[in-house]
Structure formats: C-alpha cells, structure tokens
C-alpha cells in the first residue's frame, strides 16, 4: 500500500499542477525538477532526461501538447489523473511492484487490461470479440475484488475493453468512484458517450476514454458499420465541449494504412481534441479470421516511420504498440508489464493471446500471475533481439506454440477454440517476410541512436 509520505507528495503534485495551469510554457521545466524530487528512487531518470532535452527547445510540439493539457482539460480530471498515474501508479505503485516481484519470484504487471463484458452494439470485421458469447460478464463484485487485490500488489492503472465496456457504464462509474486512487482507461466505440456521461467523467476525474476509429468515414464505416464515423465525431465533440481528455485507437490493416497515416487524419484527431493515440497492428486471432487484413511489410515500415516523424511535429502523444517495443525491452505481455483478463475470467498473457492456465474466478490474482504460461513468457522474453520483431505470435510464431505446449495452457476462445499450432501456422510466413524488412530497419535504428549519443557527448 502507499507509504506515509503519500499525502505530502500529493500536496506537492497539486501545487505543481497549479503552476502548470497558470503558465505552462514557463513552468514546465521547474515542474520536471520537482517530479524528479518526488521520484526518490529515480525509477524514470532516462525519461526525465529525454523530457528535459525536449523542453529545452523553444515552442516545440511537446510543449504545445503540455500546454493543451494544462489549459484545455477539466482541472479536476487533470489533477486526479496526474496524481493517480504519476504518484500512485508510476512511483509509489512501482515501488510496491518491485517488492512483490522479489517476494513472489515473478513479474507483477504495471497495468491489467480487463473485459467487463463481451456484450457490444457493434460487429466489426476482424474483431476477435465477435467470436465470444455476448452474455459473458465479470460481476461488479468480481471487478471490485480484482482492483482491491491489484492495489495490494501495487497496480493502480487499469484498462477496459470488451465487447463495449460502456454497456456496463453504471458499474464502471461506481467502481471508479470507489477506487478513486486508480486511473481507468477504456477502449470504446463512442456510441454511448453523451453529456450526462461526460459530467460523470468530470465528477470522478479518473476515467480516460479511448475512441476506436479506423480512418476517415469510408474506412471506419466499412469496418465498424454505417454511421460509426458520425457517432465518433459526435462523441469527440461532446467530450471536447466538457473538457474531457481522450485519445483514439486504430487497428492498422492493409485496408486503412493510407488513411490513418495521413497528416489530414492525425491533424483532424488533434483538432477534435485527442491527446494521445494507440496504433495496433491487426492480429489474425480466432478461427476463420481474415488474414488478408494483415499489413504488408511496406505498410508496417511506413507505420514505424510515420509515427516517429509525427513525434517531432504533432502536438499529440502517438504510441506504436509494436515498434515502440524497444523502449520497454520487447514484448510486455505475460505479466511482465501487462496482462489481459477476459469477461469469462480467464487470465491471458495478452489481449491477442487467447490461452491460459488460470481463471480469476477460481484463483487469486497473485496465483494467476504465477501461472505456467506467464512463467514461459517471462523465461523467453525478449522473444527477439530485434525489437521491431517483438511479438511471439505475429513475429516469432514458433514461440507461441512452444510456450503454450510447455505450459499445458488451454484455448480460451469461448465458441470455437483455436489450436495453437493452427495459430502459429497462420503467421509463420508473415513473420519470416517481415524479418527481411525488420533486420535492416533495426540496424538503421541502432546506427541513428549511436550517432545521436555521439553528438550529445561532443556537445558536453
């Protein structure tokens, strides 16, 4: 649990946010210095160094983003999310995680991705959730117990997906209010976001929505159904009006790559009020899935290059779930930094890996985190020295088959279980083709980092 210095540090953070809102451009550097002091164990020194370098440049896109957050976001949400994520989750929570890793002899995740329900008001093409029984749910009591167990281990950041999590919005609001020391992010199609819900978001302060979008209207409606784009635009407008911070997520396929990597698209998302993005490469999960949706090597390289280019230009925090693996030491699944719990209670290594040895309805969270499949993951991570090839399913498919077999894990696909050998066979050739592109790309990346470091040393 949080230590005795918590209230003092929370007061310091509150004052920091006040300074940030008063004059973000002038006070950002001073605030970073205070954050370093709060992080007494220096868990994030490298991150602070990068931020310090960025803030030294006059009026760049990162300063613009921080200024947007400071001046545009509802003050209560800004203070609550900042405190819960930075202090509770990233600093004090990390200290608890480290203690418990040593105590139990295996990793404890920084965050857990949870499906409160499989129910959804959409049926998107290629979505694995469409293959699940729509009546599966984790009860409010089960979710409450899960968050309580998680906090005892040091986990204060929870992500919700589904299904459509806002089908359970009453329960989610009640739980967010009870666990007001946590941050809850949710992936949602946006259809159920309205003025009343935004007022609840502002009142609670610890829920951050992430809207799923596939590109412009033709791409989004083509995959998510007619009218989806209009619903998304309306939801974003409502949240912006209420000063609710949100991001967007997109499933990167060979059908929408041109759309979601265009300047016109990212500029529109910024204009609508998005502060961050998640780009996920399409995964061919589930029996009968359309493997033709997988991005080509050309498209995947373009994803990598475009996201990194935007980071030097656009006032939004863009995350590339695959090619950012180098910043976290490879794959983060299997409890290393995150895991997934589906609406049936199965504790899975990843939202894309539907195999498990444990169910949260039958064992405690710490027992589930020590299951054989998670131990296989942690024993094998990273799955590749080239961290543009991080995934044991998409990029190194023999690994997933090996680990599932060694662990004796079962398929958690509810309607039509998928044999792990069949899954591995679907992505084996893809991984080999991508490797031919990823190897020179990784070598180029290493050379660029070495050149930047040499330039820094020369300046010193």
């Amino acid at each position: 649990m949080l230590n005795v210095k918590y209230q003092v540090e929370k007061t310091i953070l509150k004052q920091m946010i006040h300074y940030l809102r008063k004059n973000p451009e002038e006070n950002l550097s001073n605030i970073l210095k205070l954050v370093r002091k709060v992080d007494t164990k220096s868990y994030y020194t490298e991150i602070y160094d990068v931020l310090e370098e960025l803030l030294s440049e006059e009026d760049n896109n990162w300063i613009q983003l921080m200024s947007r957050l400071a001046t545009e976001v509802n003050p209560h949400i800004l203070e609550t999310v900042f405190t819960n994520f930075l202090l509770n989750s990233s600093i004090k929570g990390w200290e608890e995680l480290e203690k418990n890793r040593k105590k139990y002899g295996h990793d404890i995740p920084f965050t857990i991705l949870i499906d409160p329900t499989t129910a959804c008001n959409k049926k998107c093409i290629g979505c694995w959730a469409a293959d699940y029984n729509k009546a599966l749910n984790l009860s409010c009591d089960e979710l409450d117990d899960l968050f309580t167990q998680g906090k005892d281990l040091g986990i204060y950041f929870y992500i919700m997906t589904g299904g459509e999590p806002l089908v359970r919005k009453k329960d989610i609001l009640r739980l967010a209010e009870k666990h007001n020391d946590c941050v809850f992010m949710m992936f949602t199609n946006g259809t159920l976001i309205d003025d009343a819900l935004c007022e609840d978001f502002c009142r609670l302060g610890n829920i951050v929505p992430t809207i799923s979008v596939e590109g412009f209207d033709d791409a989004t409606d083509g995959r998510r159904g007619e009218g989806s784009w209009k619903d998304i635009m309306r939801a974003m407008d409502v949240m912006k009006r209420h000063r609710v911070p949100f991001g967007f997520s997109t499933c990167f396929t060979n059908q929408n790559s041109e759309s979601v990597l265009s300047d016109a698209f990212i500029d529109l998302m910024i204009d609508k009020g998005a502060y961050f993005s998640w780009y996920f490469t399409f995964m061919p999960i589930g029996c009968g899935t359309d493997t033709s949706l997988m991005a080509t090597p050309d498209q995947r390289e373009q994803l990598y290059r475009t996201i990194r280019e935007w980071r030097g230009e656009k006032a939004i925090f863009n995350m590339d779930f695959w090619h950012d693996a180098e910043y976290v030491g490879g794959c983060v699944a299997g409890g290393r930094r995150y895991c997934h719990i589906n609406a049936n209670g199965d504790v899975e290594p990843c939202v894309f890996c539907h195999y498990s040895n444990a169910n949260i309805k039958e064992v405690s969270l710490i027992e589930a985190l020590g299951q054989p499949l998670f131990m296989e993951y942690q024993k094998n991570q990273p799955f590749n020295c080239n961290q543009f090839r991080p995934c044991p399913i998409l990029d190194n498919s023999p690994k997933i088959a090996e680990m599932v077999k060694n662990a004796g894990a079962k398929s958690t696909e509810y309607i039509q279980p998928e044999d792990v050998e069949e899954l591995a066979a679907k992505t084996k050739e893809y991984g080999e083709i991508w490797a031919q592109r990823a190897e020179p790309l990784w070598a180029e990346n290493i050379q660029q980092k070495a050149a930047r470091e040499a330039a820094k040393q020369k300046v010193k």
Side-chain angles (χ1 to χ4, degrees):
M1 298 299 289
L2 300 180
N3 65 37
V4 292
K5 296 189 299 180
Y6 174 72
Q7 291 300 331
V8 174
E9 291 166 337
K10 186 175 179 180
T11 301
I12 293 172
L13 287 179
K14 187 173 182 178
Q15 189 63 40
M16 287 163 48
I17 295 167
H18 172 72
Y19 289 144
L20 180 64
R21 294 185 65 242
K22 188 175 181 180
N23 192 331
E25 292 88 351
E26 185 177 310
N27 290 322
L28 277 170
S29 295
N30 292 330
I31 288 170
L32 184 58
K33 291 176 184 176
L34 286 172
V35 172
R36 281 185 187 267
K37 290 182 180 179
V38 171
D39 182 7
T40 55
K41 298 294 180 68
S42 300
Y43 289 126
Y44 305 102
T45 297
E46 291 183 8
I47 295 175
Y48 303 144
D49 291 343
V50 171
L51 290 172
E52 200 168 74
E53 186 177 343
L54 290 170
L55 293 177
S56 67
E57 301 172 17
E58 189 173 339
D59 194 34
N60 66 20
N61 57 304
W62 292 99
I63 293 175
Q64 293 169 15
L65 175 58
M66 293 303 294
S67 296
R68 285 183 59 210
L69 284 165
T71 58
E72 296 173 4
V73 171
N74 174 284
H76 178 58
I77 298 177
L78 182 66
E79 179 182 329
T80 305
V81 171
F82 191 80
T83 301
N84 289 2
F85 189 80
L86 179 61
L87 181 57
N88 297 1
S89 184
S90 299
I91 297 178
K92 298 307 174 187
W94 192 267
E95 187 174 333
E96 290 296 316
L97 294 178
E98 289 291 295
K99 289 178 184 176
N100 284 308
R101 286 175 185 132
K102 292 177 183 177
K103 177 179 178 180
Y104 294 104
H106 57 75
D107 284 331
I108 311 292
F110 175 77
T111 185
I112 300 178
L113 180 62
I114 304 163
D115 300 345
T117 181
T118 50
C120 187
N121 54 358
K122 296 280 183 181
K123 189 174 175 64
C124 304
I125 296 171
C127 176
W128 57 263
D131 294 332
Y132 276 70
N133 183 323
K134 297 297 184 186
L136 295 177
N137 292 281
L138 290 171
S139 72
C140 195
D141 286 344
E142 288 167 338
L143 290 167
D144 181 24
D145 184 51
L146 176 62
F147 301 145
T148 300
Q149 291 185 64
K151 288 193 294 183
D152 285 342
L153 295 173
I155 306 168
Y156 288 84
F157 181 36
Y158 297 92
I159 306 174
M160 295 187 183
T161 182
E164 168 51 50
L166 285 177
V167 169
R168 298 278 305 280
K169 63 181 178 182
K170 289 184 179 179
D171 287 336
I172 289 172
L173 293 173
R174 189 183 317 142
L175 289 164
E177 185 167 21
K178 180 175 181 179
H179 298 278
N180 58 9
D181 48 355
C182 295
V183 173
F184 296 93
M185 179 189 289
M186 66 176 68
F187 291 104
T188 171
N189 59 39
T191 55
L192 301 177
I193 292 176
D194 56 18
D195 288 300
L197 185 59
C198 285
E199 289 171 4
D200 284 321
F201 289 159
C202 292
R203 173 177 60 85
L204 296 172
N206 61 343
I207 300 176
V208 181
T210 304
I211 307 296
S212 300
V213 60
E214 309 298 331
F216 290 108
D217 52 356
D218 53 348
T220 296
D221 286 0
R223 185 159 186 243
R224 294 184 167 272
E226 188 175 350
S228 295
W229 173 256
K230 192 174 291 185
D231 283 335
I232 289 167
M233 295 296 99
R234 178 201 57 78
M236 288 182 173
D237 288 342
V238 171
M239 288 189 289
K240 185 175 182 180
R241 187 167 64 247
H242 285 271
R243 303 174 71 189
V244 172
F246 67 90
F248 75 90
S249 71
T250 187
C251 180
F252 186 75
T253 75
N254 72 355
Q255 300 296 309
N256 69 354
S257 62
E258 185 176 347
S259 177
V260 298
L261 294 182
S262 67
D263 282 337
F265 176 72
I266 196 67
D267 289 342
L268 175 63
M269 293 296 101
I270 295 170
D271 183 64
K272 298 299 284 189
Y275 294 95
F276 61 89
S277 76
W278 294 86
Y279 275 72
F280 296 94
T281 301
F282 174 79
M283 292 283 285
I285 301 302
C287 297
T289 191
D290 184 1
T291 57
S292 69
L293 287 172
M294 288 192 289
T296 68
D298 282 347
Q299 291 168 331
R300 193 163 162 182
E301 179 177 343
Q302 188 59 41
L303 170 64
Y304 157 74
R305 294 192 184 280
T306 300
I307 294 294
R308 300 208 175 193
E309 182 180 319
W310 281 347
R311 285 179 185 156
E313 300 175 351
K314 308 293 184 182
I316 184 171
F317 181 37
N318 292 302
M319 290 169 277
D320 178 352
F321 194 67
W322 256 254
H323 310 117
D324 284 346
E326 66 169 313
Y327 302 123
V328 288
C331 171
V332 295
R336 177 173 166 261
R337 292 292 179 266
Y338 111 106
C339 66
H340 175 242
I341 302 177
N342 69 23
N344 196 43
D346 299 305
V347 185
E348 303 166 335
C350 172
V351 70
F352 302 117
C353 182
H354 297 174
Y355 302 92
S356 178
N357 297 107
N359 190 292
I360 201 65
K361 297 179 181 181
E362 300 166 357
V363 300
S364 68
L365 177 58
I366 191 60
E367 289 176 294
L369 295 174
Q371 64 174 283
L373 184 54
F374 281 27
M375 296 302 94
E376 284 291 317
Y377 260 74
Q378 291 166 32
K379 182 174 70 177
N380 283 277
Q381 288 163 326
F383 298 108
N384 202 300
C385 293
N386 180 337
Q387 290 174 6
F388 292 160
R389 300 172 57 197
C391 180
I393 299 176
L394 195 64
D395 304 319
N396 307 278
S397 67
K399 278 293 182 184
I400 189 61
E402 174 190 319
M403 292 189 298
V404 168
K405 287 183 176 180
N406 287 347
K410 67 178 180 68
S411 171
T412 56
E413 291 279 357
Y414 193 81
I415 295 175
Q416 191 175 0
E418 183 171 29
D419 184 89
V420 71
E421 291 285 4
E422 294 177 7
L423 171 63
K426 283 192 295 190
T427 59
K428 184 175 186 296
E429 183 179 2
Y430 179 90
E432 292 169 350
I433 293 172
W434 169 244
Q436 297 173 24
R437 182 66 60 88
E439 289 306 317
L441 204 60
W442 181 248
E444 174 191 310
N445 180 60
I446 296 296
Q447 290 172 355
Q448 289 174 345
K449 289 204 301 192
R452 287 195 296 270
E453 185 60 33
K456 282 185 189 177
Q457 294 301 323
K458 192 174 182 180
V459 171
K460 289 180 182 179

